[in-house]
Amino acid sequence: MNTKNSSNLALISIVSLVFFLAAWEIYCRMGFIEPLFMPAPSKILSRAIKMLNNWSLLGHTLASTRRVMVGFIVSSLVAIPFGIFLGSSRFFMAVFDPFISLLRPLPSMSWIPLSLLWLGITETQKYSIVFMGSFVPSLLYIIEATKNIDPLLIRAARNLGASEVDVMREVILPGALPQIIAGLKVMLGIAWTCVISAELVAAREGLGFMIMNGKEYFQTDTVLLGMVMISVTVMITDLVFRKFEKRLLPWTL
Amino acid sequence: MRSRKLYWTSILMALTAMAVLTVAPGTVAAAGKPEKVTVVYGGSSWIGHYPVWVGIEKGLFKKRGLGVLFQSFYASSGRMGSLVAGDLDVACTGSISAIALMAAGNKGFMAFGTPDSYATVEGVIAREKIKRLEDLKGKKLAVPFASSAHVLVLDLLEQIRLDPEKDLTLVNLQVNEMPAAMASGEIDACAAWTPNFNMLLKMPGNHLLADDTQFSLYKKYQLGPGPDLLVVRKEFAEKYPNTSRLFVEGYFEAVDMLINQPKESAEVLVKLTNLSMEDQMAVQKDIKWIRGAEQKALMLQPGQFVKGMQLLAEFLVKHKQIDAAPAVKDWIAADMVP
């Protein structure tokens, strides 16, 4: 029954998508909207085929994916231990709280001028934009996840003779991990918005560059194709993330 | 008798009414009163916008009953996008953006003139160790992609048979970011236009490697890689012909002023460009202004400029910047060419 329901829902989603694309195509073909402002899906598809044939679409997608993954993984590697540490220590949380509050509202784009001065026109500069855009929000998710561990469980473990390391490994980490993973999944999407900012300056490849260059030449189909590619790539990485989550946290699924 | 009088009176009244109806609009047209008093213009600190700035500051539009609102745009693409979206009425644009928009099939704008010819205020500037274009092999050359400087670089590299994908690294950088990148040594050379071009040339150790005079179409047709083009929103030109005509008059009077009174013009232009008076005068010396009287020959008969634009469109196709070359002559507003 449940499987049947899922199939029905999937069918409804597919029909909805097909209907939307068909309406869009008809609307454009009937000339209600100028292609410069909104090209038909068939135009976007033909641009995709053209760019797939000369490998440029794959090149742009891989360049952006690499930037997102490097920036995001480095930010996660720093944010996870640091967030758990801050979440379990009220003293250090008080020490770092003003800095986190100051950094939290800064959009990734605001780091562009400083990153250019500090790191120059390099790939590291682009990774740093993704890093700065995803680090503080990840850190906040992890701090919250750590704080949400029932203190009774921590006290019980200590009463049973567990050391601080044991408490961390056996209670805090397994307890906080599902929420951390959920937060990181959200952050991965945000990291993709950062890469667009990163590719605004001194980039010659990547989906952000492809979108901006398409805009310069009024190739709206290229702009929309870049946007579609970002969504598709995020969907694929989300699927990979779910597989990873399933293996890492079998008890939550 | 009475009916005859009535008959002639009716005829006379009808003729008078017809005369009023036919002559009145003509009288307004002859007087040239603008139908719309504010023209929204898309500009920047680039030389192609000097006439409008001078026209505003010297009251050349005001005396024609026009108010011109000068809106600044960093790039031609943004300016052209706003023009066809209806936010601007008139603009001067680099022809690469205009050609790209024509190639996209947009018919919402028309071209009516070209204000200037420049060849020595845009070019490739290199650090001391790079003596010739050939020395760029293996180096980092910054250029704003999708710009006239980009076209110049692609052409220069083609002339010396260097592959922009393999033989050197092209860095996509905006001109205002180039001075810092050159100073820090992150790039070895850059392609820029005035006023940043002049600032870069003044930096110690920098020198000019090539300018627009080395562009292949310039050598053959005296056409730079991104000549300036005056464009008008089609709907605006059709709806407000007097306003459009008066704007063109004011614009080319400002061009005459730039030619005849360069110092007075420079005094008001420094507010736009932030250059020193000396630098401003030097930039103006490098520009050949094209008067209103010369426009017909360039744009219509024989239309040498439009032919050059067509060649530029084909050049862009050859370098895979646009998909297909548009027929540029289809975008010329013959009625507005002075």
Side-chain angles (χ1 to χ4, degrees):
Chain A
M1 185 66 188
N2 209 4
T3 319
K4 201 182 169 189
N5 267 347
S6 305
S7 311
N8 284 345
L9 290 174
L11 188 69
I12 289 168
S13 296
I14 292 166
V15 170
S16 151
L17 182 68
V18 170
F19 181 79
F20 171 74
L21 289 174
W24 177 3
E25 182 74 32
I26 292 165
Y27 196 73
C28 292
R29 284 194 182 222
M30 290 182 82
F32 289 127
I33 191 157
E34 204 184 318
L36 178 73
F37 295 104
M38 184 59 85
S42 57
K43 289 262 178 201
I44 301 168
L45 186 67
S46 81
R47 175 69 67 181
I49 292 166
K50 197 174 172 187
M51 291 184 77
L52 276 171
N53 284 341
N54 62 19
W55 296 98
S56 60
L57 188 59
L58 189 67
H60 289 308
T61 309
L62 288 178
S64 289
T65 308
R66 187 188 66 236
R67 286 169 188 149
V68 167
M69 294 322 285
V70 171
F72 174 71
I73 289 170
V74 174
S75 101
S76 303
L77 287 176
V78 180
I80 292 172
F82 192 44
I84 292 173
F85 172 67
L86 293 183
S88 30
S89 164
R90 289 170 67 187
F91 172 77
F92 281 105
M93 188 60 216
V95 171
F96 284 97
D97 193 43
F99 305 104
I100 295 171
S101 303
L102 280 171
L103 292 173
R104 197 166 61 102
L106 297 178
S108 58
M109 268 187 95
S110 67
W111 289 100
I112 291 176
L114 282 181
S115 67
L116 276 171
L117 286 172
W118 293 342
L119 302 164
I121 313 159
T122 55
E123 277 300 296
T124 316
Q125 181 260 341
K126 286 165 191 65
Y127 300 148
S128 77
I129 296 292
V130 178
F131 176 88
M132 290 314 296
S134 53
F135 174 67
V136 177
S138 301
L139 189 68
L140 289 168
Y141 266 114
I142 294 156
I143 291 169
E144 275 311 301
T146 312
K147 277 185 179 171
N148 284 346
I149 300 290
D150 190 347
L152 205 66
L153 293 173
I154 298 170
R155 273 207 300 274
R158 280 181 184 145
N159 287 341
L160 289 168
S163 66
E164 284 304 308
V165 176
D166 290 336
V167 170
M168 184 66 73
R169 200 180 59 213
E170 303 294 335
V171 181
I172 296 176
L173 207 56
L177 215 48
Q179 210 182 325
I180 291 174
I181 298 284
L184 291 181
K185 272 198 287 187
V186 176
M187 287 321 302
L188 187 60
I190 292 175
W192 271 96
T193 62
C194 300
V195 83
I196 303 303
S197 313
E199 289 169 355
L200 287 178
V201 178
R204 50 176 298 170
E205 57 174 358
L207 292 171
F209 165 77
M210 180 179 141
I211 289 170
M212 295 314 289
N213 205 50
K215 185 209 92 175
E216 289 299 314
Y217 284 110
F218 301 98
Q219 290 164 349
T220 322
D221 48 357
T222 306
V223 173
L224 279 161
L225 177 62
M227 290 164 71
V228 169
M229 286 311 293
I230 291 173
S231 299
V232 169
T233 318
V234 171
M235 277 159 67
I236 293 168
T237 45
D238 204 47
L239 279 175
V240 173
F241 220 111
R242 275 188 205 181
K243 293 264 178 203
F244 169 71
E245 190 182 8
K246 215 172 181 177
R247 295 196 97 181
L248 193 71
L249 310 166
W251 66 90
T252 61
L253 299 163
Chain B
M1 184 72 184
R2 202 176 155 184
S3 67
R4 184 174 267 192
K5 195 178 175 184
L6 193 68
Y7 173 78
W8 283 111
T9 310
S10 306
I11 294 275
L12 199 67
M13 277 174 72
L15 284 171
T16 311
M18 276 173 71
V20 166
L21 285 171
T22 50
V23 174
T27 312
V28 171
K33 279 187 185 163
E35 304 93 339
K36 184 176 183 274
V37 291
T38 308
V39 177
V40 188
Y41 175 84
S44 75
S45 58
W46 170 247
I47 56 169
H49 311 291
Y50 286 5
V52 169
W53 189 265
V54 169
I56 293 170
E57 292 287 318
K58 295 285 181 186
L60 305 180
F61 296 114
K62 203 176 173 186
K63 75 176 183 187
R64 290 176 167 85
L66 291 180
V68 177
L69 187 63
F70 192 99
Q71 299 273 32
S72 278
F73 286 80
Y74 186 73
S76 285
S77 58
R79 201 176 302 125
M80 289 303 288
S82 293
L83 184 89
V84 294
D87 298 325
L88 296 177
D89 301 324
V90 188
C92 183
T93 177
S95 46
I96 309 281
S97 278
I99 291 170
L101 197 50
M102 290 171 190
N106 187 280
K107 294 269 187 185
F109 74 101
M110 301 294 275
F112 64 91
T114 178
D116 53 62
S117 171
Y118 61 90
T120 53
V121 291
E122 177 179 70
V124 180
I125 296 160
R127 295 161 75 83
E128 218 162 12
K129 60 189 174 187
I130 300 163
K131 306 284 182 207
R132 306 169 308 144
L133 281 167
E134 286 80 355
D135 298 339
L136 286 169
K137 194 169 183 175
K139 300 286 192 294
K140 275 187 182 175
L141 168 61
V143 58
F145 279 23
S147 68
S148 55
H150 190 203
V151 171
L152 173 68
V153 164
L154 292 176
D155 180 66
L156 292 172
L157 294 177
E158 191 182 38
Q159 287 182 41
I160 55 165
R161 293 181 186 176
L162 282 185
D163 187 335
E165 299 294 323
K166 292 173 190 162
D167 294 328
L168 71 162
T169 309
L170 287 189
V171 180
N172 180 18
L173 205 65
Q174 293 306 315
V175 285
N176 60 338
E177 285 153 1
M178 288 175 182
M182 282 291 269
S184 66
E186 285 179 76
I187 50 173
D188 304 293
C190 59
W193 54 80
T194 190
N196 292 83
F197 174 80
N198 306 70
M199 292 171 193
L200 282 156
L201 270 179
K202 277 194 157 185
M203 286 168 64
N206 287 356
H207 71 107
L208 184 69
L209 207 57
D211 60 21
D212 287 353
T213 55
Q214 278 147 280
F215 182 58
S216 56
L217 290 181
Y218 190 87
K219 287 177 189 168
K220 287 181 198 163
Y221 305 99
Q222 301 281 295
L223 189 86
D228 287 331
L229 192 65
L230 286 162
V231 288
V232 61
R233 186 157 50 84
K234 197 177 175 187
E235 192 194 354
F236 177 86
E238 286 169 356
K239 209 171 169 184
Y240 310 114
N242 283 351
T243 305
S244 305
R245 210 171 297 130
L246 288 166
F247 179 86
V248 174
E249 274 178 34
Y251 186 93
F252 284 101
E253 191 183 338
V255 168
D256 292 339
M257 187 173 266
L258 278 156
I259 297 166
N260 302 327
Q261 295 160 265
K263 194 164 177 279
E264 288 83 345
S265 304
E267 276 164 7
V268 295
L269 283 169
V270 289
K271 279 193 268 177
L272 174 72
T273 60
N274 286 325
L275 290 174
S276 67
M277 192 62 188
E278 186 192 350
D279 285 345
Q280 184 59 50
M281 289 295 286
V283 169
Q284 284 173 232
K285 254 184 203 166
D286 288 327
I287 307 163
K288 181 187 173 287
W289 294 106
I290 304 170
R291 290 181 193 268
E294 298 170 73
Q295 296 295 324
K296 273 205 166 71
L298 290 167
M299 305 299 290
L300 301 170
Q301 279 298 334
Q304 202 59 25
F305 179 80
V306 176
K307 282 176 191 160
M309 285 266 293
Q310 191 62 47
L311 290 170
L312 192 58
E314 280 148 25
F315 179 90
L316 290 174
V317 176
K318 186 181 154 197
H319 285 271
K320 295 178 184 154
Q321 304 296 308
I322 55 172
D323 297 330
V328 177
K329 64 176 170 49
D330 294 349
W331 272 266
I332 305 302
D335 294 349
M336 269 184 79
V337 178

